[in-house]
Amino acid sequence: GATMIRAAKLAARKNLPVVVDPVGAGASAMRTQLALALIEFSGARTVVRGNASEILAVCGRKADTHGVDSRGGEREALQAAESLALTRKCVVVVSGERDIITDGKDTYLVHGGHPMMQRVTGLGCTASAVVGACAGVADSLLAAGVAGMGRPAAHQPDRKTPRLRQRGPPGKRTAGRVDRARERQALV
């Protein structure tokens, strides 16, 4: 863990983007504490990318780290992600059947996931790597999160259009800014 923390501090000093993937946060106190330390020391150019239970655990909320993320978990994850993003001044990406990407002010949902994805080992790590690659070239970390989770060219979202659409492999994937009141009501 010490080497990862040194790397996070160095990235912060050099203003380099960092993607923190809190793998297994909530499964043990050590994993959760390490994730929190990495988020703290990574600086202003940080993306935290995890599944709903990992994001909830990093926020200090009770989460089932072994279960499948439910619709109720998505609502809780949305609230936790927005809170974490505002508190830590970072971008939070929550992967799931619908991915959540937020900087605490603007929130996007990327549709197109599949419940089976939670059963395939390594897809979360792959998502973190793709978000990291996008973070190195995108105009903003929020755009990197959206593009990395399946919505290319989101670095210039049309703020007048509430839904942005793209068709293409691996199937129809859509991203749209969240009307928070309407979305929260739909998730309840």
Side-chain angles (χ1 to χ4, degrees):
T3 303
M4 289 187 279
I5 291 171
R6 280 196 305 270
K9 288 178 179 180
L10 179 62
R13 278 197 304 272
K14 293 185 177 240
N15 197 33
L16 297 172
V18 174
V19 176
V20 176
D21 187 337
V23 178
S28 73
M30 182 199 72
R31 286 177 182 253
T32 305
Q33 290 167 356
L34 177 58
L36 288 169
L38 288 170
I39 294 165
E40 179 181 343
F41 294 118
S42 294
R45 300 220 22 182
T46 302
V47 178
V48 181
R49 206 269 349 131
N51 64 36
S53 63
E54 291 164 338
I55 298 302
L56 288 166
V58 166
C59 291
R61 299 182 188 184
K62 186 171 173 49
D64 180 4
T65 58
H66 303 292
V68 175
D69 294 332
S70 67
R71 195 99 169 127
E74 183 181 70
R75 184 187 76 245
E76 294 166 5
L78 174 64
Q79 294 167 347
E82 288 175 340
S83 175
L84 178 63
L86 286 171
T87 302
R88 298 294 184 162
K89 296 178 177 55
C90 65
V91 169
V92 179
V93 176
V94 184
S95 57
E97 192 169 341
R98 290 195 305 173
D99 302 322
I100 301 165
I101 302 100
T102 186
D103 63 2
K105 298 174 198 130
D106 291 315
T107 298
Y108 290 82
L109 297 178
V110 175
H111 304 269
H114 190 280
M116 180 65 83
M117 294 171 74
Q118 296 171 347
R119 297 180 179 193
V120 180
T121 302
L123 286 181
C125 296
T126 303
S128 293
V130 173
V131 169
C134 291
V137 297
D139 294 341
S140 72
L141 292 179
L142 184 62
V146 175
M149 297 308 287
R151 177 60 171 104
H155 58 280
Q156 295 177 332
D158 180 355
R159 300 214 180 253
K160 295 178 184 174
T161 305
R163 307 269 306 144
L164 303 172
R165 298 189 189 282
Q166 174 192 343
R167 294 180 193 270
K172 182 179 175 189
R173 302 197 40 100
T174 61
R177 294 184 81 219
V178 174
D179 176 338
R180 287 196 178 109
R182 189 184 73 211
E183 189 63 31
R184 282 201 178 99
Q185 187 175 26
L187 291 173
V188 172

